[in-house]
Amino acid sequence: MEPLPTGISVLDREFGGGIPSGSVVALKAEPASQSELILDRFSRVRECRYLTTVRSADAVEASLAPGDDGTIVRDATGDDPLATVLDAAAALPDGGTVVVDSVGPLEAGEGYGEFLSDLRRRVADAGGLVVLHALKAGAPDRNRIVTEQVADVVFDLRTTVTGTEIANRLVVPKFRGGAALEEPLKLKLTDSVSVDTSRDIA
């Protein structure tokens, strides 16, 4: 399986070039975090179908990086959001990326497990990736557990606030087809994504 870059250079180095094609990636994050910047990076490196289940398509397009012409944003808030996502995945260009932002409303639907299997197959057929934005909200329900179990790669963005800083650490506890990170990666998430090289003082 060809490694596909994430758009975050330090991760691509750690993962030997990127994430294996055909993979399902779950990005776990707090709703008030800057996790959308990570989605933006994923959407920039290849042609992308960006499915939004909460925000309007116009709002998503306005927030994407300027010149990001390879991303097509679609609204998945209609009567059958699962079908909307699957249709977008079926039309995915070779090596493309599907971003689902966020997966929570889809997890609430009937037939979610079957949907995930179908989504994985369609993305694998295109040799692409799917990124599921899995926002943390209270106790995980049954289908959130399904999301994490089916995912080949789990990114867990942990944001902590102290009196002097906001710290973002990316934990990668699961990586099928590769090596998970042995320790958290400290990121700077402002208007872009970079590695925080400042020294932690306990």
Side-chain angles (χ1 to χ4, degrees):
M1 292 179 287
E2 178 187 357
L4 299 178
T6 65
I8 303 172
S9 58
V10 67
L11 288 180
D12 294 336
R13 287 195 301 272
E14 291 283 348
F15 299 149
I19 294 172
S21 61
S23 294
V24 175
V25 180
L27 170 60
K28 299 168 56 179
E30 298 292 339
S33 72
Q34 288 279 76
S35 57
E36 289 169 5
L37 293 174
I38 297 174
L39 299 181
D40 178 74
R41 285 298 188 96
F42 269 102
S43 71
R44 277 200 251 176
V45 288
R46 288 173 298 281
E47 288 194 61
C48 178
R49 301 298 178 263
Y50 195 119
L51 288 303
T52 176
T53 64
V54 178
R55 296 188 295 157
S56 71
D58 288 344
V60 172
E61 287 175 347
S63 70
L64 292 174
D68 191 5
D69 298 329
T71 299
I72 296 174
V73 181
R74 292 186 60 187
D75 189 306
T77 61
D79 293 336
D80 195 347
L82 300 182
T84 300
V85 173
L86 292 177
D87 288 347
L92 189 67
D94 288 345
T97 301
V98 172
V99 171
V100 180
D101 180 21
S102 65
V103 75
L106 304 184
E107 290 172 330
E110 293 294 324
Y112 179 71
E114 182 180 348
F115 157 78
L116 271 187
S117 296
D118 203 357
L119 178 60
R120 171 196 286 282
R121 187 181 71 254
R122 295 184 190 202
V123 170
D125 286 347
L129 291 177
V130 58
V131 182
L132 306 174
H133 197 196
L135 297 177
K136 304 173 186 177
D141 64 17
R142 179 176 56 84
N143 280 339
R144 173 54 52 85
I145 294 170
V146 171
T147 297
E148 294 182 25
Q149 184 174 3
V150 168
D152 300 292
V153 182
V154 175
F155 286 178
D156 187 354
L157 181 65
R158 301 179 183 179
T159 303
T160 56
V161 181
T162 67
T164 58
E165 70 166 357
I166 299 173
N168 292 287
R169 288 175 175 80
L170 185 66
V171 178
V172 183
K174 181 180 182 182
F175 196 121
R176 287 194 190 112
L181 295 183
E182 292 184 348
E183 58 186 32
L185 183 66
K186 193 173 182 184
L187 297 179
K188 290 178 73 172
L189 300 175
T190 51
D191 58 346
S192 63
V193 181
S194 60
V195 177
D196 189 340
T197 57
S198 64
R199 185 168 62 93
D200 285 328
I201 300 176

